Amino acid sequence: KGGWRCAARCGPAGRCCAARGRPPAGSAAGCVLRGRGAVAGRPPAFGFLFDVDGVLVRGSQPLPAARRAFQRLADGDGRLRVPVVFLTNAGNCLPSAKARELSQALELQVMVQVILSHSPLQLFSQFHQRCMLVDGQGPVEENARNLGFKHVVTIEALRKAYPLLDMVDLRQLATGPLFPNSSQNLAGVILFGEPVRWETSLQLITDVLLSNGNPGEELQDVPYPHLPILACNMDLLWMAEAKMPRLGHGTFLLCLESIYKKVTGRELKYEALIGKPSPVTYRYAQYLIQQQAEKQGWKAPIRHLYAVGDNPMSDIYGANLYNNYLKAAQQNQVQAGLKRSPQAASPQCCQSILVCTGVYRHNSDVPKKTAQTVFHGHRDFCFDPSLVEASYVVQDVDHAVQLAFKKENWS
C-alpha cells in the first residue's frame, strides 16, 4: 500500500527479501524497496563530511541524534549506504583510537574513514626526513612516525636535553642527549594540538625558533625566516561536555604568534596550516570519499558533498571556502576546454550544514551582524562574512541527514 513495491520483484512488499533484511534464495540482485520519489538500486552520487565534537558527541557522550542519523545511513547489516568521512580537528589520539571511539558512540563499525587534523601531513613528504620538534597531547611521537616523519623530538625530550630552558616546570630531570648525533639541529616544528603545559611549550618552541634549531647555543642574530612550522587545528574554541565552549589550539597559536612578534618585532610564519578550514584538508576528504565509493563498487561519480558541523568559523568557513575552490576549478576547466571522464570528475559543490548542538546555538535575540564583527578564525584566513553563513541551519545531525536525503531524492 502507499506505492511501495519490491524492486527486485521477488515478492509482495512486506514479505519480500528487503523486509526480511536478506536477499531471496538464488537471487544475486537482492531487493530494494522503492517508494514515491526514490530510485531503487541507484548508487549514491553524494557523500557526507561529519564533524565529531558538537555534532556526534559532546566530550565522551554521544548525542542521541547521531545514532538516529546513522540508523538512516546504514543498511540492515550496519554497512554505510553512502560514503562518509569523519572530519575532526582533534589530533590528540591515533586514528584507530578515534575510530573505536566513534564505533562505540554510534553503535556502528567505523573503519578507516576518520580524518584527524594532522592526517594530511602524510602528503608533506619534503619534511619527512628532517628532524622535527613535535608538540601536543597524546601519542604525538607515534602519530608523527605514522605520518611518515622519520626523526622526531618531543617537548619532553627537549626538556631533558636542555634542563635549564624550562623555568616554569622545575622538576628535576635526568639529562640525556637529544640526538644520537649531538651536532644535529632541529629543522622544523609540528604543532599537533594544544599541549598540557602551555608555558613550557611556548618557551621551548620560542627558543628553538630564535636559535635556528639549536637552543643550547647563545643567541646571536635572530634568524628570519625562521624554521618551518606545520600547525594542525586552528579552532579558537571547541565544544565538550561543559556548557560553554573550551579554548582550543587556535588560542595556543594566538599566544605563540603574539610572543614571537613581541620578542622579534616580526610575524610568525607557517609553512602550512592543516585541519579545518584549510582547503587541503577538504581536498584530502574528497579523495577518501571517492576512494570509498570505488571500493564499494558505486559507479556514479560523487557530485555533491555535504559538510555537517557546529562551528561557523571552522566547519562552515572551511566547507564554503572549499565550495568556492570547486567552482573556480570548474570554471578554469571550462575556460581551458578540458574534458574529463565522469568518473574522474570532481564534486560540483560542497554544501555546508550548521547544527545547533555544539559551538553554535541558535538565539534569535542575537543580531546577525554580531557574527560578522567577531572573527574567531585564524589570522592567516581573511574574514569574509559570506563564508560563515551556512547553506542550511538545522537542529541536529539527524535533521542534516534527512535534509541531504531529500535534496538527493534518496530513500
Side-chain angles (χ1 to χ4, degrees), residues 28-359:
C31 169
V32 180
L33 282 177
R34 178 185 292 172
R36 293 192 183 100
V39 180
R42 182 185 65 181
F46 64 103
F48 286 99
L49 312 179
F50 288 115
D51 181 36
V52 176
D53 294 298
V55 175
L56 305 178
V57 299
R58 290 277 297 272
S60 61
Q61 299 301 313
L63 293 170
R67 288 180 175 173
R68 294 196 300 269
F70 276 84
Q71 287 171 358
R72 301 180 192 279
L73 287 165
D75 63 16
D77 295 323
R79 293 174 300 198
L80 292 172
R81 300 186 295 127
V82 177
V84 167
V85 162
F86 300 98
L87 191 59
T88 173
N89 267 352
N92 58 353
C93 62
L94 298 172
S96 57
K98 179 59 72 172
R100 287 194 299 270
E101 178 185 316
L102 286 170
S103 296
Q104 182 177 2
L106 301 174
E107 298 179 339
L108 178 78
Q109 187 63 36
V110 175
M111 301 301 288
V112 295
Q113 60 268 27
V114 178
I115 299 180
L116 302 180
S117 60
H118 55 250
S119 296
L121 285 179
Q122 61 187 295
L123 304 176
F124 289 72
S125 57
Q126 67 271 34
F127 296 100
H128 288 174
Q129 299 299 327
R130 300 188 188 184
C131 188
M132 305 292 286
L133 176 68
V134 295
D135 189 33
Q137 296 182 38
V140 291
E141 185 173 1
E142 186 176 357
N143 270 327
R145 295 191 186 282
N146 289 342
L147 291 166
F149 294 91
K150 305 301 183 184
H151 312 285
V152 293
V153 176
T154 64
I155 289 288
E156 193 66 16
L158 190 64
R159 288 183 66 246
K160 290 181 179 180
Y162 301 102
L164 298 179
L165 296 182
D166 185 5
M167 299 307 296
V168 175
D169 188 345
L170 298 179
R171 293 176 296 166
Q172 295 296 317
L173 295 173
T175 61
L178 182 58
F179 313 106
N181 179 3
S182 59
S183 64
Q184 186 178 12
N185 287 357
L186 291 162
V189 180
I190 304 174
L191 304 177
F192 280 109
E194 63 271 25
V196 175
R197 297 191 300 272
W198 285 35
E199 301 97 331
T200 295
S201 292
L202 289 169
Q203 176 68 72
L204 269 62
I205 293 169
T206 301
D207 289 337
V208 168
L209 296 177
L210 295 180
S211 65
N212 205 31
N214 189 4
E217 294 296 317
E218 184 176 350
L219 178 65
Q220 301 294 330
D221 295 329
V222 176
Y224 198 82
H226 53 68
L227 294 176
I229 300 175
L230 305 173
C232 313
N233 181 2
M234 296 159 272
D235 286 352
L236 187 77
L237 304 170
W238 67 287
M239 201 68 192
E241 295 177 65
K243 300 297 183 182
M244 296 177 63
R246 304 293 85 199
L247 299 178
H249 192 219
T251 308
F252 178 81
L253 297 180
L254 182 62
C255 294
L256 181 62
E257 293 157 9
S258 300
I259 291 171
Y260 185 84
K261 185 169 184 178
K262 194 70 174 178
V263 171
T264 68
R266 292 172 168 173
E267 295 285 351
L268 187 78
K269 302 291 185 181
Y270 296 95
E271 187 74 20
L273 288 164
I274 308 298
K276 296 176 293 186
S278 172
V280 67
T281 295
Y282 286 84
R283 180 68 185 88
Y284 185 62
Q286 174 197 319
Y287 166 75
L288 291 186
I289 285 280
Q290 292 172 325
Q291 188 182 62
Q292 192 179 142
E294 292 172 4
K295 287 183 178 180
Q296 293 294 332
W298 294 326
K299 301 298 183 183
I302 301 300
R303 296 299 190 191
H304 305 138
L305 298 174
Y306 294 93
V308 185
D310 70 305
N311 191 332
M313 297 297 176
S314 61
D315 301 317
I316 304 307
Y317 188 108
N320 291 339
L321 188 64
Y322 191 63
N323 188 53
N324 290 349
Y325 165 81
L326 290 174
K327 290 180 178 179
Q330 292 167 16
Q331 189 174 15
N332 293 339
Q333 185 175 328
V334 171
Q335 292 175 350
L338 300 177
K339 293 184 179 181
R340 302 179 68 183
S341 65
Q343 287 73 21
S346 296
Q348 296 174 345
C349 65
C350 180
Q351 305 239 18
S352 56
I353 304 179
L354 180 64
V355 298
C356 305
T357 51
V359 171

